[in-house]
Each structure stands twice: as C-alpha cells, then as structure tokens.
Amino acid sequence: EAQVTQNPRYLITVTGKKLTVTCSQNMNHEYMSWYRQDPGLGLRQIYYSMNVEVTDKGDVPEGYKVSRKEKRNFPLILESPSPNQTSLYFCASSLSPGLVSYEQYFGPGTRLTVT
Amino acid sequence: KNQVEQSPQSLIILEGKNCTLQCNYTVSPFSNLRWYKQDTGRGPVSLTIMTFSENTKSNGRYTATLDADTKQSSLHITASQLSDSASYICVVSAGGGYQKVTFGIGTKLQVIP
C-alpha cells in the first residue's frame, strides 16, 4: 500500500531534550516536506526536500533541522525543543514538483507536546 | 504576500443537503489549486487539483470550480453524508513547482442527522 508513515504518532517531552520525528514513504517520491498545523493558522511549511541531499527552508524553519540521506526518509529534528513547538506535524511526499498536476500524500501526523 | 482565505470558517448542515465552500486567493503567479479533506487528527487527503486552464473538476459528490480571473474557487458538496464531516482546506501553489504552497485555514463542516 502506498503510504507515508510517521513515528511517533504522539510525543510528550520536556524543553531542551533533543528529539527526532521520522518520516518514510514507499512511493519513490522525489519531493518531501514537513508542515506544522496550529489552530487558526492552518498548515505551514517547515522544510522541504527536492531530492536526496537537497533541502531548503519553508516558511517557519526556526528551531528545526532536516536531513535527506535516502530518498525514502526525511526525518525532522528538534535540537532543543521549546513549548512554542507544541503542534501537530505532518510529513508529505509527491512526485517531482516540476509536474503541475501531481498528488501530494500526507502522513498520519505526529502530535508533539513540549512542556 | 501570498494569501488564501476561506469562508465560512465553520458550517453545520443537515444530512442530505448540499453546501458550497469558498476560497479566495492572492497567490501569484498561479500554478494550481487543490482542495483537501482533513478528518480530525488525520492527514489531509486530496479531493481535486485544478490548473489555470481548468474551471471545473469533480470527484464523486465533490465538485470544485475555479475562476482564475477573479481568483476564486468553490467546493460544492452534493447530498451530504455524515462522513463528510471534516475540515476542507484550499491550497494554492505558486510558480511552476511545488516549493511555494499557501494553505487556507480551512472550513470546518459538520453534517448532522
């Protein structure tokens, strides 16, 4: 089954304790992206990756890091989480963004709480 | 600044009734517009994708329209079902690629028996 998986689905942590949220897709997609979703703000892009070893900042990259060492994986790293990073996070993937009418697939989401 | 505005913010309708959700955007240059359905606590799922040259796209009981001149889109849901209860998000992409996407806040639809 074609899908995007994220782990963990739920995480409660404390300020300053480094964490990683994993994202994996099995569709051989080139493009992957991370979003956060907060009430009243909609989804905002954190980072995206056009292909292996190619990443770039989205609209809200501060406090986050990403890496793309393999095509299927795109982990999101919070080196020193803070309470304002409490949010619902989504990973997404799609074929090459050069194609206009492509489908973007979202993962199930990771609900992160930083105390 | 690219913006996508949706209305209404929330809507309650009776099962079996039709409804229309609105999306206005100021994204430039326009590439494509998508409507997503998002169930509570789950990832968005694509309903329709429209490019500049398309003004109508259907997916079952969902029909999206696009007026690129007025920069408006609508999503019409026919014969609503309880399972249609969800948030509906309008997403507009700028340029020729996927790098610049702007999401609307969404319309929260509740279908009641």
Side-chain angles (χ1 to χ4, degrees), chain B residues 5-7 20-25 30 33-35 48 50 55 63-68 70-76 90 92:
Chain B
E5 295 181 352
Q6 294 186 242
S7 61
T20 300
L21 313 181
Q22 300 290 343
C23 172
N24 296 335
Y25 63 92
F30 176 83
L33 184 147
R34 308 157 184 270
W35 283 94
T48 62
M50 289 184 292
N55 53 28
T63 299
T65 64
L66 173 65
D67 185 335
T70 61
K71 298 186 178 180
Q72 295 179 326
S73 176
S74 65
L75 180 69
H76 185 74
C90 177
V92 184

PDB file of all heavy atoms in Angstrom, chain B residues 5-7 20-25 30 33-35 48 50 55 63-68 70-76 90 92:
ATOM      1  N   GLU B   5      -7.774  32.711   1.553  1.00  0.00           N
ATOM      2  CA  GLU B   5      -8.823  32.932   2.544  1.00  0.00           C
ATOM      3  C   GLU B   5     -10.018  32.046   2.234  1.00  0.00           C
ATOM      4  O   GLU B   5     -10.467  31.982   1.090  1.00  0.00           O
ATOM      5  CB  GLU B   5      -9.242  34.404   2.561  1.00  0.00           C
ATOM      6  CG  GLU B   5      -8.133  35.333   3.009  1.00  0.00           C
ATOM      7  CD  GLU B   5      -8.565  36.788   3.045  1.00  0.00           C
ATOM      8  OE1 GLU B   5      -9.687  37.073   2.576  1.00  0.00           O
ATOM      9  OE2 GLU B   5      -7.803  37.628   3.533  1.00  0.00           O
ATOM     10  N   GLN B   6     -10.524  31.404   3.276  1.00  0.00           N
ATOM     11  CA  GLN B   6     -11.658  30.508   3.105  1.00  0.00           C
ATOM     12  C   GLN B   6     -12.849  30.979   3.921  1.00  0.00           C
ATOM     13  O   GLN B   6     -12.695  31.536   4.995  1.00  0.00           O
ATOM     14  CB  GLN B   6     -11.289  29.081   3.523  1.00  0.00           C
ATOM     15  CG  GLN B   6     -10.246  28.438   2.633  1.00  0.00           C
ATOM     16  CD  GLN B   6     -10.027  26.996   2.980  1.00  0.00           C
ATOM     17  OE1 GLN B   6      -8.935  26.590   3.371  1.00  0.00           O
ATOM     18  NE2 GLN B   6     -11.077  26.182   2.836  1.00  0.00           N
ATOM     19  N   SER B   7     -14.016  30.711   3.369  1.00  0.00           N
ATOM     20  CA  SER B   7     -15.243  31.037   4.094  1.00  0.00           C
ATOM     21  C   SER B   7     -16.316  30.002   3.779  1.00  0.00           C
ATOM     22  O   SER B   7     -16.304  29.407   2.697  1.00  0.00           O
ATOM     23  CB  SER B   7     -15.726  32.438   3.709  1.00  0.00           C
ATOM     24  OG  SER B   7     -16.020  32.499   2.330  1.00  0.00           O
ATOM     25  N   THR B  20     -21.787  24.755  -0.229  1.00  0.00           N
ATOM     26  CA  THR B  20     -20.692  25.291  -1.036  1.00  0.00           C
ATOM     27  C   THR B  20     -19.714  26.039  -0.143  1.00  0.00           C
ATOM     28  O   THR B  20     -20.108  26.878   0.659  1.00  0.00           O
ATOM     29  CB  THR B  20     -21.233  26.255  -2.117  1.00  0.00           C
ATOM     30  OG1 THR B  20     -22.131  25.534  -2.969  1.00  0.00           O
ATOM     31  CG2 THR B  20     -20.093  26.802  -2.952  1.00  0.00           C
ATOM     32  N   LEU B  21     -18.457  25.700  -0.293  1.00  0.00           N
ATOM     33  CA  LEU B  21     -17.386  26.340   0.460  1.00  0.00           C
ATOM     34  C   LEU B  21     -16.606  27.246  -0.500  1.00  0.00           C
ATOM     35  O   LEU B  21     -16.425  26.911  -1.666  1.00  0.00           O
ATOM     36  CB  LEU B  21     -16.453  25.275   1.054  1.00  0.00           C
ATOM     37  CG  LEU B  21     -17.131  24.091   1.758  1.00  0.00           C
ATOM     38  CD1 LEU B  21     -16.083  23.140   2.310  1.00  0.00           C
ATOM     39  CD2 LEU B  21     -18.083  24.548   2.825  1.00  0.00           C
ATOM     40  N   GLN B  22     -16.108  28.365   0.029  1.00  0.00           N
ATOM     41  CA  GLN B  22     -15.456  29.356  -0.809  1.00  0.00           C
ATOM     42  C   GLN B  22     -13.971  29.489  -0.492  1.00  0.00           C
ATOM     43  O   GLN B  22     -13.537  29.297   0.652  1.00  0.00           O
ATOM     44  CB  GLN B  22     -16.114  30.728  -0.625  1.00  0.00           C
ATOM     45  CG  GLN B  22     -17.595  30.765  -0.976  1.00  0.00           C
ATOM     46  CD  GLN B  22     -17.836  30.631  -2.477  1.00  0.00           C
ATOM     47  OE1 GLN B  22     -16.949  30.818  -3.295  1.00  0.00           O
ATOM     48  NE2 GLN B  22     -19.067  30.272  -2.833  1.00  0.00           N
ATOM     49  N   CYS B  23     -13.212  29.848  -1.529  1.00  0.00           N
ATOM     50  CA  CYS B  23     -11.772  30.075  -1.377  1.00  0.00           C
ATOM     51  C   CYS B  23     -11.374  31.236  -2.272  1.00  0.00           C
ATOM     52  O   CYS B  23     -11.641  31.206  -3.481  1.00  0.00           O
ATOM     53  CB  CYS B  23     -11.005  28.812  -1.755  1.00  0.00           C
ATOM     54  SG  CYS B  23      -9.202  29.003  -1.825  1.00  0.00           S
ATOM     55  N   ASN B  24     -10.779  32.266  -1.687  1.00  0.00           N
ATOM     56  CA  ASN B  24     -10.235  33.397  -2.439  1.00  0.00           C
ATOM     57  C   ASN B  24      -8.740  33.420  -2.228  1.00  0.00           C
ATOM     58  O   ASN B  24      -8.261  33.229  -1.104  1.00  0.00           O
ATOM     59  CB  ASN B  24     -10.847  34.712  -1.953  1.00  0.00           C
ATOM     60  CG  ASN B  24     -12.347  34.771  -2.202  1.00  0.00           C
ATOM     61  OD1 ASN B  24     -12.863  34.118  -3.083  1.00  0.00           O
ATOM     62  ND2 ASN B  24     -13.030  35.563  -1.394  1.00  0.00           N
ATOM     63  N   TYR B  25      -7.998  33.692  -3.278  1.00  0.00           N
ATOM     64  CA  TYR B  25      -6.552  33.662  -3.147  1.00  0.00           C
ATOM     65  C   TYR B  25      -5.909  34.858  -3.838  1.00  0.00           C
ATOM     66  O   TYR B  25      -6.479  35.458  -4.746  1.00  0.00           O
ATOM     67  CB  TYR B  25      -5.980  32.356  -3.707  1.00  0.00           C
ATOM     68  CG  TYR B  25      -6.212  32.157  -5.188  1.00  0.00           C
ATOM     69  CD1 TYR B  25      -5.276  32.580  -6.123  1.00  0.00           C
ATOM     70  CD2 TYR B  25      -7.370  31.517  -5.648  1.00  0.00           C
ATOM     71  CE1 TYR B  25      -5.493  32.384  -7.481  1.00  0.00           C
ATOM     72  CE2 TYR B  25      -7.588  31.325  -7.002  1.00  0.00           C
ATOM     73  CZ  TYR B  25      -6.657  31.762  -7.912  1.00  0.00           C
ATOM     74  OH  TYR B  25      -6.880  31.568  -9.252  1.00  0.00           O
ATOM     75  N   PHE B  30       0.075  32.074 -10.404  1.00  0.00           N
ATOM     76  CA  PHE B  30      -0.740  30.913 -10.070  1.00  0.00           C
ATOM     77  C   PHE B  30      -0.259  29.680 -10.820  1.00  0.00           C
ATOM     78  O   PHE B  30       0.054  29.740 -12.008  1.00  0.00           O
ATOM     79  CB  PHE B  30      -2.191  31.198 -10.426  1.00  0.00           C
ATOM     80  CG  PHE B  30      -3.115  30.038 -10.227  1.00  0.00           C
ATOM     81  CD1 PHE B  30      -3.635  29.770  -8.973  1.00  0.00           C
ATOM     82  CD2 PHE B  30      -3.457  29.207 -11.283  1.00  0.00           C
ATOM     83  CE1 PHE B  30      -4.491  28.696  -8.784  1.00  0.00           C
ATOM     84  CE2 PHE B  30      -4.310  28.139 -11.100  1.00  0.00           C
ATOM     85  CZ  PHE B  30      -4.826  27.882  -9.845  1.00  0.00           C
ATOM     86  N   LEU B  33      -4.517  24.821  -7.942  1.00  0.00           N
ATOM     87  CA  LEU B  33      -5.318  24.937  -6.721  1.00  0.00           C
ATOM     88  C   LEU B  33      -5.864  23.567  -6.383  1.00  0.00           C
ATOM     89  O   LEU B  33      -6.365  22.845  -7.239  1.00  0.00           O
ATOM     90  CB  LEU B  33      -6.458  25.937  -6.916  1.00  0.00           C
ATOM     91  CG  LEU B  33      -7.333  26.249  -5.683  1.00  0.00           C
ATOM     92  CD1 LEU B  33      -7.801  27.701  -5.730  1.00  0.00           C
ATOM     93  CD2 LEU B  33      -8.508  25.310  -5.562  1.00  0.00           C
ATOM     94  N   ARG B  34      -5.758  23.221  -5.104  1.00  0.00           N
ATOM     95  CA  ARG B  34      -6.229  21.923  -4.639  1.00  0.00           C
ATOM     96  C   ARG B  34      -7.201  22.098  -3.488  1.00  0.00           C
ATOM     97  O   ARG B  34      -7.067  23.036  -2.700  1.00  0.00           O
ATOM     98  CB  ARG B  34      -5.049  21.100  -4.117  1.00  0.00           C
ATOM     99  CG  ARG B  34      -3.915  20.986  -5.067  1.00  0.00           C
ATOM    100  CD  ARG B  34      -2.619  20.681  -4.333  1.00  0.00           C
ATOM    101  NE  ARG B  34      -1.524  20.674  -5.281  1.00  0.00           N
ATOM    102  CZ  ARG B  34      -1.130  19.592  -5.925  1.00  0.00           C
ATOM    103  NH1 ARG B  34      -1.706  18.440  -5.685  1.00  0.00           N
ATOM    104  NH2 ARG B  34      -0.143  19.654  -6.791  1.00  0.00           N
ATOM    105  N   TRP B  35      -8.109  21.189  -3.398  1.00  0.00           N
ATOM    106  CA  TRP B  35      -8.970  21.072  -2.229  1.00  0.00           C
ATOM    107  C   TRP B  35      -8.626  19.760  -1.531  1.00  0.00           C
ATOM    108  O   TRP B  35      -8.517  18.712  -2.165  1.00  0.00           O
ATOM    109  CB  TRP B  35     -10.438  21.077  -2.616  1.00  0.00           C
ATOM    110  CG  TRP B  35     -10.975  22.426  -2.954  1.00  0.00           C
ATOM    111  CD1 TRP B  35     -11.064  22.999  -4.182  1.00  0.00           C
ATOM    112  CD2 TRP B  35     -11.513  23.377  -2.025  1.00  0.00           C
ATOM    113  NE1 TRP B  35     -11.627  24.252  -4.090  1.00  0.00           N
ATOM    114  CE2 TRP B  35     -11.921  24.513  -2.775  1.00  0.00           C
ATOM    115  CE3 TRP B  35     -11.706  23.390  -0.642  1.00  0.00           C
ATOM    116  CZ2 TRP B  35     -12.500  25.645  -2.183  1.00  0.00           C
ATOM    117  CZ3 TRP B  35     -12.284  24.501  -0.050  1.00  0.00           C
ATOM    118  CH2 TRP B  35     -12.677  25.615  -0.826  1.00  0.00           C
ATOM    119  N   THR B  48      -9.439  17.360  -5.182  1.00  0.00           N
ATOM    120  CA  THR B  48      -9.339  17.815  -6.569  1.00  0.00           C
ATOM    121  C   THR B  48      -8.080  18.648  -6.756  1.00  0.00           C
ATOM    122  O   THR B  48      -7.575  19.248  -5.807  1.00  0.00           O
ATOM    123  CB  THR B  48     -10.547  18.688  -6.973  1.00  0.00           C
ATOM    124  OG1 THR B  48     -10.572  19.850  -6.156  1.00  0.00           O
ATOM    125  CG2 THR B  48     -11.862  17.947  -6.845  1.00  0.00           C
ATOM    126  N   MET B  50      -6.721  21.536  -9.703  1.00  0.00           N
ATOM    127  CA  MET B  50      -7.071  22.283 -10.913  1.00  0.00           C
ATOM    128  C   MET B  50      -5.935  23.199 -11.312  1.00  0.00           C
ATOM    129  O   MET B  50      -5.355  23.889 -10.476  1.00  0.00           O
ATOM    130  CB  MET B  50      -8.344  23.101 -10.697  1.00  0.00           C
ATOM    131  CG  MET B  50      -9.602  22.252 -10.616  1.00  0.00           C
ATOM    132  SD  MET B  50     -11.068  23.273 -10.484  1.00  0.00           S
ATOM    133  CE  MET B  50     -10.816  23.956  -8.857  1.00  0.00           C
ATOM    134  N   ASN B  55     -11.704  24.879 -15.212  1.00  0.00           N
ATOM    135  CA  ASN B  55     -12.606  25.657 -14.375  1.00  0.00           C
ATOM    136  C   ASN B  55     -13.581  24.787 -13.578  1.00  0.00           C
ATOM    137  O   ASN B  55     -14.322  25.302 -12.745  1.00  0.00           O
ATOM    138  CB  ASN B  55     -13.374  26.702 -15.185  1.00  0.00           C
ATOM    139  CG  ASN B  55     -14.080  26.090 -16.375  1.00  0.00           C
ATOM    140  OD1 ASN B  55     -14.454  24.924 -16.356  1.00  0.00           O
ATOM    141  ND2 ASN B  55     -14.264  26.888 -17.413  1.00  0.00           N
ATOM    142  N   THR B  63     -17.535  18.766  -6.206  1.00  0.00           N
ATOM    143  CA  THR B  63     -17.256  19.481  -7.444  1.00  0.00           C
ATOM    144  C   THR B  63     -16.573  20.798  -7.107  1.00  0.00           C
ATOM    145  O   THR B  63     -17.116  21.609  -6.358  1.00  0.00           O
ATOM    146  CB  THR B  63     -18.539  19.760  -8.243  1.00  0.00           C
ATOM    147  OG1 THR B  63     -19.163  18.520  -8.579  1.00  0.00           O
ATOM    148  CG2 THR B  63     -18.220  20.532  -9.520  1.00  0.00           C
ATOM    149  N   ALA B  64     -15.399  20.987  -7.667  1.00  0.00           N
ATOM    150  CA  ALA B  64     -14.655  22.222  -7.447  1.00  0.00           C
ATOM    151  C   ALA B  64     -14.728  23.070  -8.704  1.00  0.00           C
ATOM    152  O   ALA B  64     -14.727  22.557  -9.818  1.00  0.00           O
ATOM    153  CB  ALA B  64     -13.207  21.913  -7.096  1.00  0.00           C
ATOM    154  N   THR B  65     -14.807  24.376  -8.493  1.00  0.00           N
ATOM    155  CA  THR B  65     -14.773  25.312  -9.611  1.00  0.00           C
ATOM    156  C   THR B  65     -13.637  26.298  -9.396  1.00  0.00           C
ATOM    157  O   THR B  65     -13.229  26.559  -8.259  1.00  0.00           O
ATOM    158  CB  THR B  65     -16.099  26.089  -9.746  1.00  0.00           C
ATOM    159  OG1 THR B  65     -16.284  26.894  -8.584  1.00  0.00           O
ATOM    160  CG2 THR B  65     -17.279  25.140  -9.906  1.00  0.00           C
ATOM    161  N   LEU B  66     -13.153  26.833 -10.484  1.00  0.00           N
ATOM    162  CA  LEU B  66     -12.055  27.801 -10.412  1.00  0.00           C
ATOM    163  C   LEU B  66     -12.312  28.926 -11.390  1.00  0.00           C
ATOM    164  O   LEU B  66     -12.601  28.686 -12.566  1.00  0.00           O
ATOM    165  CB  LEU B  66     -10.722  27.120 -10.745  1.00  0.00           C
ATOM    166  CG  LEU B  66      -9.510  28.032 -10.882  1.00  0.00           C
ATOM    167  CD1 LEU B  66      -9.183  28.696  -9.545  1.00  0.00           C
ATOM    168  CD2 LEU B  66      -8.304  27.258 -11.406  1.00  0.00           C
ATOM    169  N   ASP B  67     -12.225  30.148 -10.892  1.00  0.00           N
ATOM    170  CA  ASP B  67     -12.271  31.343 -11.742  1.00  0.00           C
ATOM    171  C   ASP B  67     -10.935  32.052 -11.571  1.00  0.00           C
ATOM    172  O   ASP B  67     -10.736  32.777 -10.599  1.00  0.00           O
ATOM    173  CB  ASP B  67     -13.439  32.241 -11.333  1.00  0.00           C
ATOM    174  CG  ASP B  67     -13.601  33.431 -12.278  1.00  0.00           C
ATOM    175  OD1 ASP B  67     -12.610  33.843 -12.914  1.00  0.00           O
ATOM    176  OD2 ASP B  67     -14.716  33.952 -12.381  1.00  0.00           O
ATOM    177  N   ALA B  68     -10.039  31.822 -12.510  1.00  0.00           N
ATOM    178  CA  ALA B  68      -8.687  32.366 -12.395  1.00  0.00           C
ATOM    179  C   ALA B  68      -8.675  33.888 -12.554  1.00  0.00           C
ATOM    180  O   ALA B  68      -7.756  34.551 -12.098  1.00  0.00           O
ATOM    181  CB  ALA B  68      -7.772  31.717 -13.430  1.00  0.00           C
ATOM    182  N   THR B  70     -11.007  36.070 -11.332  1.00  0.00           N
ATOM    183  CA  THR B  70     -11.367  36.680 -10.050  1.00  0.00           C
ATOM    184  C   THR B  70     -10.607  36.052  -8.890  1.00  0.00           C
ATOM    185  O   THR B  70     -10.742  36.492  -7.748  1.00  0.00           O
ATOM    186  CB  THR B  70     -12.873  36.541  -9.780  1.00  0.00           C
ATOM    187  OG1 THR B  70     -13.207  35.151  -9.719  1.00  0.00           O
ATOM    188  CG2 THR B  70     -13.681  37.219 -10.879  1.00  0.00           C
ATOM    189  N   LYS B  71      -9.815  35.022  -9.171  1.00  0.00           N
ATOM    190  CA  LYS B  71      -9.021  34.322  -8.159  1.00  0.00           C
ATOM    191  C   LYS B  71      -9.917  33.763  -7.061  1.00  0.00           C
ATOM    192  O   LYS B  71      -9.674  33.978  -5.858  1.00  0.00           O
ATOM    193  CB  LYS B  71      -7.947  35.242  -7.599  1.00  0.00           C
ATOM    194  CG  LYS B  71      -6.955  35.696  -8.669  1.00  0.00           C
ATOM    195  CD  LYS B  71      -5.807  36.494  -8.096  1.00  0.00           C
ATOM    196  CE  LYS B  71      -4.841  36.856  -9.222  1.00  0.00           C
ATOM    197  NZ  LYS B  71      -3.682  37.630  -8.744  1.00  0.00           N
ATOM    198  N   GLN B  72     -10.937  33.055  -7.511  1.00  0.00           N
ATOM    199  CA  GLN B  72     -11.870  32.445  -6.579  1.00  0.00           C
ATOM    200  C   GLN B  72     -12.090  30.977  -6.950  1.00  0.00           C
ATOM    201  O   GLN B  72     -12.074  30.618  -8.133  1.00  0.00           O
ATOM    202  CB  GLN B  72     -13.212  33.177  -6.597  1.00  0.00           C
ATOM    203  CG  GLN B  72     -13.144  34.606  -6.107  1.00  0.00           C
ATOM    204  CD  GLN B  72     -14.495  35.295  -6.163  1.00  0.00           C
ATOM    205  OE1 GLN B  72     -15.306  35.030  -7.052  1.00  0.00           O
ATOM    206  NE2 GLN B  72     -14.749  36.161  -5.199  1.00  0.00           N
ATOM    207  N   SER B  73     -12.308  30.184  -5.927  1.00  0.00           N
ATOM    208  CA  SER B  73     -12.649  28.783  -6.134  1.00  0.00           C
ATOM    209  C   SER B  73     -13.749  28.409  -5.162  1.00  0.00           C
ATOM    210  O   SER B  73     -13.907  29.031  -4.107  1.00  0.00           O
ATOM    211  CB  SER B  73     -11.427  27.902  -5.900  1.00  0.00           C
ATOM    212  OG  SER B  73     -11.758  26.529  -6.006  1.00  0.00           O
ATOM    213  N   SER B  74     -14.520  27.413  -5.534  1.00  0.00           N
ATOM    214  CA  SER B  74     -15.543  26.911  -4.627  1.00  0.00           C
ATOM    215  C   SER B  74     -15.534  25.393  -4.654  1.00  0.00           C
ATOM    216  O   SER B  74     -15.117  24.770  -5.633  1.00  0.00           O
ATOM    217  CB  SER B  74     -16.929  27.433  -5.020  1.00  0.00           C
ATOM    218  OG  SER B  74     -17.293  26.921  -6.290  1.00  0.00           O
ATOM    219  N   LEU B  75     -15.964  24.814  -3.553  1.00  0.00           N
ATOM    220  CA  LEU B  75     -16.122  23.365  -3.453  1.00  0.00           C
ATOM    221  C   LEU B  75     -17.575  23.094  -3.105  1.00  0.00           C
ATOM    222  O   LEU B  75     -18.047  23.524  -2.052  1.00  0.00           O
ATOM    223  CB  LEU B  75     -15.199  22.771  -2.391  1.00  0.00           C
ATOM    224  CG  LEU B  75     -15.295  21.251  -2.219  1.00  0.00           C
ATOM    225  CD1 LEU B  75     -14.733  20.543  -3.451  1.00  0.00           C
ATOM    226  CD2 LEU B  75     -14.542  20.795  -0.973  1.00  0.00           C
ATOM    227  N   HIS B  76     -18.259  22.404  -3.995  1.00  0.00           N
ATOM    228  CA  HIS B  76     -19.669  22.104  -3.784  1.00  0.00           C
ATOM    229  C   HIS B  76     -19.810  20.641  -3.397  1.00  0.00           C
ATOM    230  O   HIS B  76     -19.269  19.760  -4.079  1.00  0.00           O
ATOM    231  CB  HIS B  76     -20.463  22.384  -5.064  1.00  0.00           C
ATOM    232  CG  HIS B  76     -21.930  22.224  -4.901  1.00  0.00           C
ATOM    233  ND1 HIS B  76     -22.718  23.131  -4.239  1.00  0.00           N
ATOM    234  CD2 HIS B  76     -22.764  21.233  -5.316  1.00  0.00           C
ATOM    235  CE1 HIS B  76     -23.980  22.717  -4.253  1.00  0.00           C
ATOM    236  NE2 HIS B  76     -24.032  21.581  -4.899  1.00  0.00           N
ATOM    237  N   CYS B  90      -8.253  24.648   1.278  1.00  0.00           N
ATOM    238  CA  CYS B  90      -7.893  25.117  -0.056  1.00  0.00           C
ATOM    239  C   CYS B  90      -6.396  25.409  -0.064  1.00  0.00           C
ATOM    240  O   CYS B  90      -5.884  26.070   0.849  1.00  0.00           O
ATOM    241  CB  CYS B  90      -8.697  26.373  -0.373  1.00  0.00           C
ATOM    242  SG  CYS B  90      -8.329  27.148  -1.955  1.00  0.00           S
ATOM    243  N   VAL B  92      -3.115  26.646  -2.572  1.00  0.00           N
ATOM    244  CA  VAL B  92      -2.740  27.225  -3.855  1.00  0.00           C
ATOM    245  C   VAL B  92      -1.225  27.199  -4.001  1.00  0.00           C
ATOM    246  O   VAL B  92      -0.500  27.595  -3.084  1.00  0.00           O
ATOM    247  CB  VAL B  92      -3.259  28.666  -3.996  1.00  0.00           C
ATOM    248  CG1 VAL B  92      -2.930  29.209  -5.387  1.00  0.00           C
ATOM    249  CG2 VAL B  92      -4.761  28.717  -3.754  1.00  0.00           C
TER     250      VAL B  92
END
